[in-house]
Amino acid sequence: MLSSQFIAKLCTLPYPIVKIILQYYTVGTVYSKTNREFKRSLYKNVLIAMEAHMAMNLQKNDMKAVCYEPIGHLLKRFKKNPMSKQLNAFGEQFDECSYWIHKCDIPIEKTNVVVYFHGGGYLLNMIDSQLTFSAALHFALDDKTAARTSIMIVDYSLTMFDHIYPTQLYECLRTYNNLVQLGYNNIILMGDSAGAHMSLSLARAIAYPEEIKQQFEYFSEFKLKFNVSNLPQPKALILDAPWVQPCTPPLPSRHHVDTTGDVIGYDINLGNYFVEDLDQKFINNFLKFTNTNWEDHWAKVEAINNGNTIMIVGEREVLRDGMEDFYNIANKKGSIEYYIEPGGIHAGMVYVESLDYMSKKGAKRALKGDFKDKFGINLVAQFLNKRDFV
């Protein structure tokens, strides 16, 4: 049964829709006046305004009833997109919770694997625009990089079904190990929001194996059947709007920007679902990254310190200040690439930019390599194009 709060938000949904339409054709919306993605798209303005209206205080039962979609359904629907026909092994299952988006046909030891973790606060499943992004990325790469880069998605368990920490970290670590066991050693971790949080958690787990061993010894239901200390570290980290402090309420922006209409609210429901009544001090180093320091927690993470990490943040994000605080903590070597999208909202790369490639017409643009003015997609593609991890 839907909560009364959710029903109330549904009933009042016409208001932000009408408001954004009127603004779009008159004075301009908070989106169209600040970010180029929205200037010529009423659809994007309306869609994001709707998402922003519904975003606050999400309840698990509401999300199960209205939003949940199994990954198999999502992959099946995407097969109608022309991009899927040009992706090798699209939708092929790799292990319990991961699937290939593209699997290149070169020897494993020469292959780079981008492992993508979707966002959604660990509450929500992957959605169409995120899947579209993971597919479109292949066509945004230059020919040489695309030929040697495989792309995988991970469908980890969700807190809407009461799977709390460290379930997701355990599952993603297991997939990482399965890749290594097959001979993949050039692994790049990529994620948006909670997916970027997972990328950082996984990188820390591999760089600090004694810490993760202690974590799983405490959570006795999770039995690692492999030695984390034997795993090679990820070659790179691609972090789009990393959710670095899940259980900390954000404060008003210290940059004095208008965060109106961002798809992230000021509540901490999602973080609370993730940890429930766990001891946050015990799990801190895999939870709240703004409560860490470089010397003790990031000095051994190779990608953080050797120039192989990129962070993309929206200028108008509710959570921007926390991301900036983490960047200042982790960037001791001055080697993290840090970009702020003008007027950008939370994870605009996967929630806004990729919308242009969901239709058949848009997919044809992707197939032609047309990613003109795509802030995040082009940054990620350029980041990968200029690196040879083999």
Side-chain angles (χ1 to χ4, degrees):
M1 176 181 259
L2 296 178
S3 68
S4 58
Q5 180 189 67
F6 190 79
I7 293 172
K9 286 195 287 187
L10 282 175
C11 291
T12 55
L13 188 56
Y15 171 73
I17 294 175
V18 172
K19 178 182 176 181
I20 211 80
I21 291 173
L22 291 175
Q23 289 178 334
Y24 182 79
Y25 287 113
T26 55
V27 297
T29 72
V30 67
Y31 306 114
S32 65
K33 290 190 292 186
T34 58
N35 186 275
R36 62 189 179 193
E37 284 290 326
F38 294 89
K39 290 185 182 301
R40 296 181 180 84
S41 175
L42 176 61
Y43 168 69
K44 289 181 181 178
N45 281 270
V46 171
L47 178 64
I48 300 304
M50 290 171 61
E51 291 179 357
H53 178 74
M54 301 299 295
M56 289 288 289
N57 295 306
L58 298 178
Q59 304 297 312
K60 288 195 280 187
N61 285 338
D62 294 335
M63 297 303 98
K64 281 190 281 189
V66 176
C67 296
Y68 178 66
E69 182 176 24
I71 188 65
H73 294 183
L74 195 64
L75 290 167
K76 182 178 180 181
R77 184 167 63 251
F78 192 80
K79 286 185 178 179
K80 297 177 183 178
N81 186 298
M83 279 192 284
S84 69
K85 307 297 188 296
Q86 303 299 319
L87 295 166
N88 188 43
F90 175 83
E92 182 180 304
Q93 189 164 2
F94 173 69
D95 64 10
E96 293 94 326
C97 58
S98 62
Y99 300 80
W100 291 109
I101 294 300
H102 175 72
K103 186 179 179 183
C104 57
D105 289 325
I106 63 174
I108 287 176
E109 63 273 11
K110 295 182 180 180
T111 299
N112 298 325
V113 182
V114 175
V115 182
Y116 171 56
F117 306 111
H118 69 85
Y122 295 123
L123 173 73
L124 304 172
N125 54 269
M126 177 178 281
I127 61 175
D128 291 281
S129 63
Q130 291 168 322
L131 179 61
T132 299
F133 161 74
S134 69
L137 179 60
H138 170 76
F139 304 100
L141 300 173
D142 64 34
D143 291 344
K144 180 181 178 182
T145 304
R148 67 189 182 202
T149 303
S150 295
I151 301 172
M152 170 181 287
I153 59 172
V154 179
D155 182 45
Y156 51 76
S157 296
L158 304 170
T159 59
M160 76 164 73
F161 297 110
D162 302 318
H163 296 292
I164 68 172
Y165 177 91
T167 307
Q168 297 80 6
L169 180 54
Y170 173 82
E171 292 171 343
C172 295
L173 192 56
R174 182 180 61 194
T175 292
Y176 192 100
N177 176 69
N178 290 341
L179 282 168
V180 172
Q181 292 307 307
L182 281 181
Y184 292 101
N185 287 307
N186 305 309
I187 303 173
I188 298 138
L189 304 182
M190 176 175 68
D192 65 273
S193 194
H197 182 273
M198 174 53 63
S199 298
L200 288 165
S201 296
L202 196 52
R204 283 209 74 257
I206 296 168
Y208 296 86
E210 290 305 313
E211 279 193 36
I212 201 62
K213 180 182 177 182
Q214 183 185 37
Q215 293 283 305
F216 287 126
E217 285 176 349
Y218 180 82
F219 298 99
S220 57
E221 65 270 35
F222 297 97
K223 302 290 186 183
L224 288 178
K225 299 179 180 179
F226 53 91
N227 190 340
V228 176
S229 63
N230 291 333
L231 296 177
Q233 291 201 35
K235 295 294 184 180
L237 299 174
I238 300 171
L239 310 172
D240 181 27
W243 191 36
V244 292
Q245 43 187 20
C247 298
T248 301
L251 298 172
S253 173
R254 62 174 175 245
H255 294 280
H256 307 293
V257 295
D258 183 2
T259 60
T260 302
D262 195 9
V263 293
I264 292 292
Y266 280 86
D267 63 278
I268 56 172
N269 281 21
L270 304 188
N272 290 339
Y273 295 150
F274 183 50
V275 302
E276 290 191 352
D277 59 354
L278 297 177
D279 180 356
Q280 292 187 29
K281 289 184 179 179
F282 178 71
I283 66 175
N284 177 80
N285 298 348
F286 298 95
L287 176 67
K288 186 177 179 180
F289 298 137
T290 53
N291 196 30
T292 60
N293 63 72
W294 180 84
E295 289 81 4
D296 298 323
H297 306 108
W298 303 103
K300 295 181 182 179
V301 180
E302 293 173 2
I304 289 282
N305 298 293
N306 65 9
N308 287 327
T309 293
I310 182 174
M311 285 181 63
I312 302 172
V313 174
E315 181 184 25
R316 297 198 312 106
E317 287 204 48
V318 167
L319 305 179
R320 174 184 167 187
D321 290 351
M323 299 171 197
E324 185 174 86
D325 290 343
F326 167 72
Y327 167 75
N328 290 330
I329 289 168
N331 195 38
K332 183 83 169 185
K333 298 279 188 174
S335 57
I336 298 175
E337 294 186 25
Y338 186 77
Y339 299 93
I340 299 173
E341 181 185 11
I345 62 167
H346 184 69
M349 181 170 68
V350 299
Y351 291 136
V352 184
E353 293 180 25
S354 60
L355 294 173
D356 287 335
Y357 304 99
M358 288 173 56
S359 66
K360 289 185 178 180
K361 181 179 178 181
K364 291 178 181 178
R365 282 185 57 194
L367 292 173
K368 294 177 182 178
D370 180 3
F371 295 93
K372 183 180 179 182
D373 294 332
K374 296 303 172 192
F375 184 87
I377 294 175
N378 283 319
L379 281 175
V380 172
Q382 292 162 14
F383 176 83
L384 292 170
N385 288 341
K386 65 184 181 182
R387 285 165 172 80
D388 186 358
F389 300 113
V390 179

